[in-house]
């Protein structure tokens, strides 16, 4: 279908306008007029053009030191990175801002956005959780500093989500030890999990798997160590029974308990050999 003259004219005008805007932006980048550059950066920011605003502000910040505009420029620059989802950079620049301007009108929001940047940069629970711990620390610091903040509900929700992520990580790590038959490590990991997350949705399964790992560890141990480890299995069973008397896993737990008791009786008279 032939292109109309009106369409061609529209495309030509659009190209010229875009080219003019681009060339104007390029001139701004090369400009040494700090005031003009700052005004343009703020206009780009207000329009939501965070890439151009951020590029101009990055050049301007060293030139604005000591001037009243420096505070807003640094906050805006940090936020341009946040808006572009450069969360590692936005976390760094928001922290730098709050350190430099602790009493700024933007300080509360910058502290909140620092915490949120770390929250958004936190990886899935299956990966290393160093960033998650940093995010939680930042959120707690924010809540301590601004207990009545309008951002409090959201930061509390972020904290709960990160806690669940650490909980999932701890449980899955313990379960992986169990699946790989690293029974001693599994017992330690499940014990730590129960201490850290007593109200977890995984608490019952963790208690059962700890008993199962302890029982397997006892069975695979040298005879001189078995009685002690079967006694721990019996203790874990009793704790499991007290906490979850109606558990679907109770029959399996009972079987492990019965064997453990029988082994303790059998091993009672066996002399203790040197530890392996």
């Amino acid at each position: 279908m032939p292109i109309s003259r009106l369409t061609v004219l529209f495309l030509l005008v659009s190209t010229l306008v875009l080219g003019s805007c681009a060339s104007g932006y390029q001139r701004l980048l090369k400009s040494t007029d700090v005031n003009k550059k700052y005004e343009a950066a703020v206009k780009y920011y207000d329009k939501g053009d965070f890439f151009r605003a951020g590029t101009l502000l990055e050049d301007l910040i060293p030139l604005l030191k000591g001037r009243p505009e420096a505070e807003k420029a640094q906050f805006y620059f940090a936020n341009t990175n946040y808006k572009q989802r450069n969360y590692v950079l936005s976390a760094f620049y928001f922290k730098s801002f709050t350190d430099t301007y602790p009493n700024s009108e933007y300080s509360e929001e910058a502290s909140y956005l620092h915490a949120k940047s770390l929250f958004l940069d936190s990886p899935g629970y299956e990966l290393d959780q160093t960033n998650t711990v940093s995010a939680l620390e930042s959120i707690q610091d924010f809540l301590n500093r601004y207990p009545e903040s309008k951002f409090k509900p959201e930061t509390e929700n972020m904290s709960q989500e990160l806690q669940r992520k650490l909980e999932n990580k701890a449980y899955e790590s313990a379960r992986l030890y169990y699946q790989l038959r690293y029974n001693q490590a599994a017992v330690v990991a499940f014990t730590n999990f129960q201490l850290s997350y007593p109200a977890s949705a995984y608490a019952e399964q963790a208690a059962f798997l700890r008993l199962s790992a302890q029982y397997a560890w006892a069975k695979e141990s040298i005879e001189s160590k078995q009685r002690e480890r079967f006694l721990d299995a019996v203790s874990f069973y009793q704790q499991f029974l007290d906490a979850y008397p109606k558990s679907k896993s109770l029959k399996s737990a009972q079987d492990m308990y019965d064997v453990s008791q029988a082994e303790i009786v059998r091993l009672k008279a066996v002399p203790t050999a040197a530890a392996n």
Side-chain angles (χ1 to χ4, degrees), residues 40-217:
V42 172
K43 286 180 180 178
Y44 280 129
Y45 183 93
D46 289 340
K47 288 192 298 183
D49 189 342
F50 299 113
F51 173 77
R52 288 181 177 178
T55 304
L56 291 172
L57 288 167
E58 187 172 19
D59 290 342
L60 280 169
I61 285 172
L63 305 175
L64 291 172
K65 284 185 178 178
R67 292 181 49 165
E69 299 93 336
E71 182 180 325
K72 180 184 278 190
Q74 288 195 38
F75 177 79
Y76 276 20
F77 178 62
N79 207 24
T80 61
N81 281 284
Y82 175 80
K83 294 293 187 180
Q84 295 177 85
R85 301 183 181 183
N86 299 324
Y87 298 127
V88 173
L89 289 176
S90 63
F92 174 81
Y93 287 118
F94 280 126
K95 180 66 166 62
S96 177
F97 178 87
T98 56
D99 288 345
T100 306
Y101 302 103
N103 299 316
S104 168
E105 63 177 301
Y106 303 112
S107 184
E108 179 181 337
E109 186 174 1
S111 182
Y112 155 73
L113 288 173
H114 167 69
K116 190 167 183 179
S117 295
L118 293 173
F119 166 78
L120 291 170
D121 189 53
S122 172
Y125 74 84
E126 68 278 1
L127 301 176
D128 179 77
Q129 293 301 301
T130 301
N131 288 355
T132 301
V133 173
S134 297
L136 278 167
E137 291 172 350
S138 179
I139 289 170
Q140 190 58 55
D141 179 63
F142 173 80
L143 292 171
N144 291 341
R145 291 175 63 189
Y146 304 103
E148 305 301 323
S149 173
K150 65 180 181 180
F151 301 116
K152 181 179 179 180
E154 186 178 357
T155 51
E156 288 179 332
N157 288 337
M158 290 191 297
S159 179
Q160 290 169 9
E161 185 172 334
L162 294 175
Q163 289 285 2
R164 285 193 295 271
K165 190 179 290 188
L166 292 181
E167 179 182 324
N168 288 342
K169 175 71 172 182
Y171 176 75
E172 291 299 335
S173 295
R175 195 164 71 94
L176 181 60
Y177 284 133
Y178 178 81
Q179 290 173 333
L180 294 173
R181 300 181 63 84
Y182 297 158
N183 294 310
Q184 183 178 5
V187 170
V188 172
F190 280 124
T191 299
N192 290 337
F193 177 84
Q194 290 178 300
L195 291 171
S196 299
Y197 307 102
S200 170
Y202 302 117
E204 179 181 335
Q205 186 67 3
F208 175 75
L209 291 179
R210 182 177 75 145
L211 165 59
S212 183
Q214 180 66 39
Y215 173 76
W217 183 28

Side-chain angles (χ1 to χ4, degrees), residues 224-238:
S224 62
K225 291 289 185 180
Q226 283 186 318
R227 186 170 185 275
E228 172 191 349
R229 291 170 185 171
F230 278 121
L231 283 169
D232 284 339
V234 167
S235 176
F236 291 170
Y237 166 79
Q238 290 168 339

Side-chain angles (χ1 to χ4, degrees), residues 27-41 56 60 63-64 67:
R27 284 196 297 271
L28 280 169
L29 287 175
K30 297 174 184 177
S31 174
T32 57
D33 187 332
V34 174
N35 293 330
K36 182 178 179 181
K37 212 168 184 176
Y38 175 75
E39 289 173 7
L56 291 172
L60 280 169
L63 305 175
L64 291 172
R67 292 181 49 165

